[in-house]
Amino acid sequence: MNISEEMARYAALIEVGIDRYLPPEGTRPERLHKAMRYAVQGGGKRLRPMLVLAAAELFARRKQPGPVAAAARGLDPLPAAVAVECVHTYSLIHDDLPCMDDDDLRRGRPTVHRAFDEATALLAGDALLTFAFELIGHSYLPDPGHALVLELADAAGSRRLIGGQVEDLLAEKKAGVSAPELEFIHLNKTAAMIEASLAIGGWIGRGTEAASGPDEDIVILRRAGRHLGLAFQIVDDILDATSDTATLGKTAGKDARAGKTTFVRLHGIEASRRFAKRSSDAAVAEFEKLPGSAPFLAALARTMGRRIK
Ligand code: GRG
């Protein structure tokens, strides 16, 4: 399998889904809907929606051998993939606001509050978060929508994504952040949405079986997501310290300038590289327990390490 080609195939599908499902730019109020599209259609690696699609395909194949995706059984994972990207993009818009990270550049372009204004950015973020649940409601309720709503609400909520962000902001103001505190931040701010993307794909792949509750495969997907999320965050910290703004499409070196406690600051670059490798290896080991050994997901986890070579 050519991983780059597979990633490009998923990414192209996701772009189509985003264009299809997001409210048109001309929807009143235009400024808001333009800002929502500006943020979501402004590039990005599309990692999380890719995980939704790949996890869903895995189970669809198991139930119906051959190149038959979940869509063939009436369950299209694309709306859920778009919903997950909307939640992720909302978190980026809000993170960039002056009251949080105060950044001018995201995905190689001016941040939403720079391209529009602060109020529009705040509301575009709110609208994307709300829209994600609307899209899931329209596409999957009652079943497996019920599981998807719970999965996404938990990942995006006060104990996970928002909780991780709050502890991250508090940590910026204090000296001597400990390794367990940093792990809490990473597991929630970063890994929660990655875990949820995989579990959501899993629920969709299982289709109506989802009503019978989680099975071992969903547990494995969540565990893989936790490892992948940690690897992803460590790699992000390493890149912030070693790469440049043009390559990253966002301001490089910000963590060090802000005196922020990161994995790199706490453990150094070499140990961070080792931790990242260990975490992505652990994700690969989990993926390999899944139907057909999940070759795309395993390869995706391996590419994580390549970003820092
Ligand atoms: C505002 C509730 C709230 C949360 C913000 C996403 C986030 C939480 C903060 C952004 C800062 C950061 C370093 C978060 C860690 C996760 C991360 C690396 C996000 C960026 O994800 P990528 O690299 O972005 O997948 P693209 O643009 O490729 O989608």
Side-chain angles (χ1 to χ4, degrees):
M1 185 210 349
N2 181 324
I3 178 77
S4 309
E5 274 174 25
E6 278 290 285
M7 286 171 78
R9 182 179 73 81
Y10 280 120
L13 197 59
I14 292 157
E15 298 310 320
V16 170
I18 288 170
D19 192 45
R20 181 183 306 158
Y21 295 115
L22 248 74
E25 274 203 350
T27 309
R28 189 173 171 186
E30 274 187 34
R31 189 172 175 78
L32 175 69
H33 293 99
K34 270 203 174 98
M36 288 164 73
R37 278 189 172 253
Y38 174 86
V40 185
Q41 293 184 307
K45 293 178 288 298
R46 309 302 193 203
L47 169 71
R48 298 153 191 82
M50 229 172 255
L51 296 176
V52 174
L53 298 181
E57 281 188 8
L58 207 61
F59 295 96
R61 289 215 180 95
R62 179 178 64 175
K63 290 187 78 173
Q64 220 166 319
V68 180
R73 295 179 295 109
L75 276 184
D76 182 358
L78 194 54
V82 173
V84 160
E85 186 65 10
C86 286
V87 173
H88 169 59
T89 308
Y90 124 78
S91 77
L92 298 179
I93 300 174
H94 282 196
D95 184 64
D96 291 332
L97 285 172
C99 63
M100 293 200 212
D101 218 25
D102 192 10
D103 219 321
D104 296 341
L105 195 68
R106 170 70 64 183
R107 294 175 163 172
R109 301 194 308 171
T111 46
V112 181
H113 65 276
R114 288 278 171 220
F116 292 80
D117 58 77
E118 225 179 298
T120 305
L122 180 79
L123 294 166
D126 292 342
L128 284 171
L129 176 62
T130 313
F131 175 71
F133 287 92
E134 182 187 327
L135 186 55
I136 285 193
H138 273 308
S139 313
Y140 306 102
L141 281 177
D143 178 33
H146 180 75
L148 305 195
V149 166
L150 293 180
E151 198 73 51
L152 196 56
D154 179 66
S158 63
R159 297 172 204 87
R160 304 228 57 199
L161 174 64
I162 298 174
Q165 175 76 349
V166 168
E167 294 230 356
D168 193 34
L169 292 170
L170 292 172
E172 273 178 32
K173 297 193 179 76
K174 95 179 203 194
V177 176
S178 66
E181 283 169 326
L182 196 63
E183 190 183 51
F184 176 91
I185 293 168
H186 291 169
L187 284 177
N188 294 296
K189 190 181 79 166
T190 310
M193 283 297 296
I194 291 179
E195 277 173 55
S197 302
L198 287 164
I200 283 171
W203 287 116
I204 294 171
R206 293 180 68 210
T208 46
E209 278 175 38
S212 58
D215 67 5
E216 181 58 16
D217 290 327
I218 303 276
V219 175
I220 294 171
L221 282 167
R222 284 213 190 90
R223 221 161 34 221
R226 179 189 161 98
H227 292 303
L228 191 63
L230 275 183
F232 188 80
Q233 179 62 60
I234 301 168
V235 169
D236 197 70
D237 284 355
I238 295 173
L239 289 174
D240 183 77
T242 58
S243 192
D244 57 78
T245 299
T247 312
L248 294 180
K250 58 180 182 177
T251 317
K254 260 198 109 175
D255 295 341
R257 275 196 300 282
K260 192 168 172 177
T261 305
T262 64
F263 220 87
V264 170
R265 188 151 186 236
L266 216 54
H267 303 285
I269 293 271
E270 280 320 308
S272 298
R273 284 204 166 99
R274 283 196 300 278
F275 275 120
K277 166 102 174 57
R278 202 180 305 156
S279 299
S280 72
D281 285 351
V284 171
E286 293 297 335
F287 285 135
E288 285 178 343
K289 295 177 191 163
L290 290 165
S293 304
F296 173 75
L297 288 168
L300 192 65
R302 285 192 197 98
T303 63
M304 200 70 68
R306 275 184 234 136
R307 291 182 69 211
I308 45 169
K309 280 198 186 119

